[in-house]
Each structure stands twice: as structure tokens, then as C-alpha cells.
Amino acid sequence: MKIYVVGIGPGNSLYMTPEARQAIEESQVVVGYTLYVDLVKDLTEGKEVRATSMKQEVDRCKIALEEALQGKTVAFVCSGDAGVYGMAGIMSEVAEAHPEVEIKTVAGITAACSGAAVLGAPLIHDFAVISLSDLLTKWEIIEKRLRLAAEGDFVICLYNPKSKKRHDYIDKAAEIVAKVQGWDLPCGYVKHIGRDGEYSKICTLQDLLNNDDIDMFTTIFMGNSTTKVINGKLVTPRGYHLDK
Ligand code: SAH
């Protein structure tokens, strides 16, 4: 009676931790959103696979619980890290009445880290991760977090920057940050990290406006006031003193 809530990393098996691989291998059942289950299909042969569509998060947890209550070991797969906009929290809530089911979170490489590595070293110092999805958070709160993160001179990493319904949220976010950091702020974005078609771009805050490259498979990085481009890499200095 065990559920591993597994962060599989951004998509490529090279980014998956040995612990995540082991948890999937050890499980009889694999539960998850279709795309993520597909990303680990090399590991699911001979296992019961229960894939669901995008918006059925709670149902997915119930399926995992149901299977675990039958005495099975279940791997509930999430992209990136299971605890960063992942399913680790909701899984524990759904299973609250069943303390006999062990729930183990298996860490993964979140898009902030894998994307930062593609761009260079934009995070390095204090940074804030903000999701632009207002499905579970009010837009006013998101705006406040953006404003205060910019005022605090945090590097900002944005998840869920755009969807069909929320196509202009990234523009609104850029406008909020521009008021504090200016339109020339060094920024970058990475699409499909670790997956087919990975694409990255270093740009300015201005370039994020009306940008058709940006979609729901993109992670965006907005620098702080010291972030710069060094030999084609986006770098936030940590503040070490350099004698050049
Ligand atoms: N648990 C995941 C995040 C899920 S929220 C993690 O830790 O990475 C979904 C958002 O994450 C996407 O809209 C996108 O902004 C980001 N993301 C996740 N995987 C990505 C990938 N492979 N490439 C680019 N962005 C990704």
C-alpha cells in the first residue's frame, strides 16, 4: 500500500533521477496525465497504466488511492518536481482518511532548474517562482506577487505563462515588472526543455510582449537588476569580487 508521487524531470530520461526510475520500476501501477505517462513509456511495459486527461487532477489521485488500497504499489507521475505545481500535496489531501497508505514524494528536476541550465545561470541568487495560471489563484494575487518580487529585485521564473484562454497574461506580467526593472531587463525563455523541439532564447523584457513563441510548454526567466548576458549566456552575478 504505497504511492510514490514521482517527479520525472522535464521529459528526457537523462534528467530523471535514479530514485524516480527505481520508484516506477518497483510499482505495479503507473498513474498520470497522458503526456507524462507517455514520457516514461520505456519503464511501463507490463505494468497497469492509468492515464487521464489534463484537468482531472483529483480523479487521478482517487485512482492512485484506489489502486494502493488494493495492496498495490503505485507510481503517480508528474513532470518536473512532484512538489512544484505538482500532485504531491493534493495526493496527501485525497488520501488523508487512509494513513495506512504510505505516500512518498520523489523529487525531480523542476523546469526552473532545467531551464536555467539551458540559458546559463540566471537564477544563482534569490529568485521567485510564480505561476501565471489563475485557475487556482486569483489574478489580483498573482499581480501582487509579480510586483513585490520585482520590487524585491528577485530573479523571476514564470510557469504556466500562457494558454489559449490566458494569451495576454504574460504581457500583463511583463508590464508589471517593467515598471520596476525597465523594458531592457535581460530575460530568457525555454520551450520543451529536455523534449523534442527544445528551443531557447535570450532576450529583453520588451521581447516577451506579443511573443508567439511563448506557450504553455515554456518557462520564462526575468532577470534582476544585475542580470546580464555573458558570451551568449544569461547570467545573474552572485556578487563575488573578481580581480580581472
Ligand atoms: N511540476 C512541474 C511544473 C508543472 S506546471 C515542474 O516542476 O517543472 C506546468 C508549467 O511548468 C508549464 O506551463 C511550463 O511553464 C513549465 N514546464 C514544465 N515542464 C516543462 C518543460 N519540459 N519545458 C518547458 N517548460 C516546462
Side-chain angles (χ1 to χ4, degrees):
M1 280 198 191
K2 188 168 185 175
I3 301 174
Y4 288 110
V5 194
V6 184
I8 60 168
N12 179 323
S13 62
L14 288 175
Y15 284 94
M16 195 190 292
T17 67
E19 189 191 14
R21 188 181 314 277
Q22 201 176 307
I24 297 170
E25 279 168 358
E26 210 184 281
S27 300
Q28 283 105 47
V29 188
V30 177
V31 178
Y33 168 49
T34 324
L35 173 70
Y36 306 150
V37 167
D38 211 44
L39 286 170
V40 296
K41 65 172 180 294
D42 294 357
L43 300 172
T44 60
E45 211 171 300
K47 298 185 192 297
E48 187 187 339
V49 174
R50 304 204 47 188
T52 66
S53 68
M54 186 78 153
K55 296 234 167 82
Q56 298 170 324
E57 287 92 352
V58 175
D59 291 344
R60 239 177 278 155
C61 293
K62 287 182 182 161
I63 293 171
L65 180 62
E66 222 171 73
E67 296 280 0
L69 286 170
Q70 289 173 28
K72 297 178 193 164
T73 300
V74 180
F76 186 2
V77 293
C78 308
S79 78
D81 183 83
V84 179
Y85 310 116
M87 304 303 290
I90 180 73
M91 188 63 244
S92 288
E93 289 179 63
V94 168
E96 192 173 2
H98 294 281
E100 70 276 24
V101 176
E102 187 191 345
I103 296 181
K104 168 126 179 55
T105 306
V106 178
I109 305 179
T110 190
C113 297
S114 53
V118 173
L119 292 174
L123 302 178
I124 291 293
H125 215 295
D126 299 333
F127 66 97
V129 175
I130 300 175
S131 165
L132 293 192
S133 169
D134 64 350
L135 290 176
L136 303 171
T137 306
K138 283 203 183 102
W139 178 250
E140 296 75 55
I141 302 276
I142 297 172
E143 283 194 335
K144 183 176 176 187
R145 290 178 181 163
L146 286 163
R147 195 177 68 246
L148 294 176
E151 279 173 11
D153 201 21
F154 284 89
V155 172
I156 299 174
C157 178
L158 296 178
Y159 283 50
N160 297 304
K162 214 186 247 186
S163 74
K164 283 193 189 105
K165 280 194 196 142
R166 300 180 287 106
H167 60 94
D168 62 339
Y169 283 20
I170 177 61
D171 297 21
K172 290 186 188 169
E175 273 159 28
I176 291 167
V177 174
K179 282 195 183 124
V180 183
Q181 302 285 30
W183 285 111
D184 292 333
L185 184 73
C187 293
Y189 55 87
V190 194
K191 284 174 83 153
H192 305 296
I193 306 162
R195 300 182 190 162
D196 287 346
E198 180 182 284
Y199 175 78
S200 68
K201 179 111 182 155
I202 290 173
C203 60
T204 65
L205 195 52
Q206 177 84 40
D207 299 324
L208 298 179
L209 293 175
N210 296 313
N211 186 323
D212 290 336
D213 275 351
I214 297 167
D215 60 14
M216 63 184 291
F217 299 107
T218 311
T219 300
I220 297 186
F221 298 80
M222 297 174 169
N224 69 14
S225 60
T226 67
T227 303
K228 53 189 169 184
V229 181
I230 302 177
N231 295 330
K233 300 281 181 192
L234 190 64
V235 178
T236 304
R238 176 107 195 266
Y240 295 111
H241 183 69
L242 287 183
D243 290 316
K244 284 199 218 170

